[in-house]
């Protein structure tokens, strides 16, 4: 049971680290950049993703206690915690998915980031920006509902 708890905790920590990096990078991050940042946190993680041709051997290996990073990111996409798209240069880009926003939320991601930075307080401007964005999202959704009701 303890090893199952530890595995769940490691997976949650991986989710939150990925979410924090996406959020800190203005909401999207190139896959290559994400790997570089993850490798700074844990040097066992390769600093670049596997390529279509297979990439380096290190980019496909299992990491003790974490597993295969590419498979882990694929599972985040499959569960809609992260959405994947391509940028203008046809590079893979990751953004926060709907489940990350509903199940976790931007504020909790900001709090995780602050704790990861040795319990530094979240800057008040960040909290205000998150509140403003949440209010704007609610307003946009209300306007969309009004349009949908008017069309019926």
């Amino acid at each position: 049971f303890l090893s199952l708890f530890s595995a769940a905790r490691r997976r949650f920590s991986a989710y939150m680290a990925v979410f924090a990096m996406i959020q800190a990078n203005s909401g999207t991050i190139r896959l290559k950049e994400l790997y570089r940042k993850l490798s700074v946190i844990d040097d066992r993680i390769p600093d670049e993703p596997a390529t279509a041709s297979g990439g380096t051997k290190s980019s496909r290996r299992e990491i003790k206690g974490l597993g295969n990073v590419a498979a882990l990111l694929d599972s985040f996409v499959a569960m809609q915690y992260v959405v994947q798209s391509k940028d203008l240069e046809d590079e893979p880009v990751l953004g926060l998915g709907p489940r990350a926003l509903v199940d976790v939320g931007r504020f909790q991601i900001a709090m995780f980031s602050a704790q990861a930075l040795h319990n530094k307080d979240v800057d008040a401007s960040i909290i205000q920006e998150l509140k403003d964005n949440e209010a704007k999202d609610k307003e946009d959704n209300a306007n969309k509902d009004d349009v949908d009701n008017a069309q019926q």
Side-chain angles (χ1 to χ4, degrees), residues 2 4 8 16 41 43 46 52 54 56 58 69 72-73 85 96-98 101-102 123 126 128 139:
L2 188 57
L4 179 62
M16 292 303 289
I41 294 173
D43 62 1
T56 64
S58 66
V69 176
L72 189 63
L73 291 174
S85 60
L96 293 175
L101 297 172
V102 171
D123 188 90
I126 293 173
Q128 187 59 49
E139 182 180 313

Side-chain angles (χ1 to χ4, degrees), residues 15-126:
Y15 283 129
M16 292 303 289
V18 169
F19 297 162
M21 288 179 192
I22 291 171
Q23 184 164 293
N25 203 57
S26 300
T28 61
I29 190 168
R30 281 185 168 182
L31 188 61
K32 287 181 181 181
E33 183 66 19
L34 177 63
Y35 268 85
R36 278 193 286 274
K37 290 180 182 214
L38 289 172
S39 72
V40 169
I41 294 173
D42 186 336
D43 62 1
R44 300 174 304 159
I45 297 174
D47 63 354
E48 62 182 42
T51 61
S53 62
T56 64
K57 185 176 182 181
S58 66
S59 66
R60 294 187 307 261
R61 74 166 192 249
E62 293 286 318
I63 297 170
K64 185 176 180 178
L66 186 60
N68 180 295
V69 176
L72 189 63
L73 291 174
D74 287 344
S75 74
F76 292 177
V77 171
M79 292 184 287
Q80 297 183 1
Y81 281 108
V82 174
V83 292
Q84 186 170 359
S85 60
K86 299 266 184 169
D87 64 10
L88 296 174
E89 297 172 13
D90 208 33
E91 292 285 331
V93 174
L94 299 176
L96 293 175
R99 281 194 65 192
L101 297 172
V102 171
D103 292 355
V104 181
R106 293 184 190 278
F107 183 76
Q108 187 63 33
I109 296 168
M111 295 301 293
F112 173 83
S113 298
Q115 289 174 349
L117 296 171
H118 306 291
N119 291 320
K120 293 190 178 186
D121 290 333
V122 177
D123 188 90
S125 65
I126 293 173

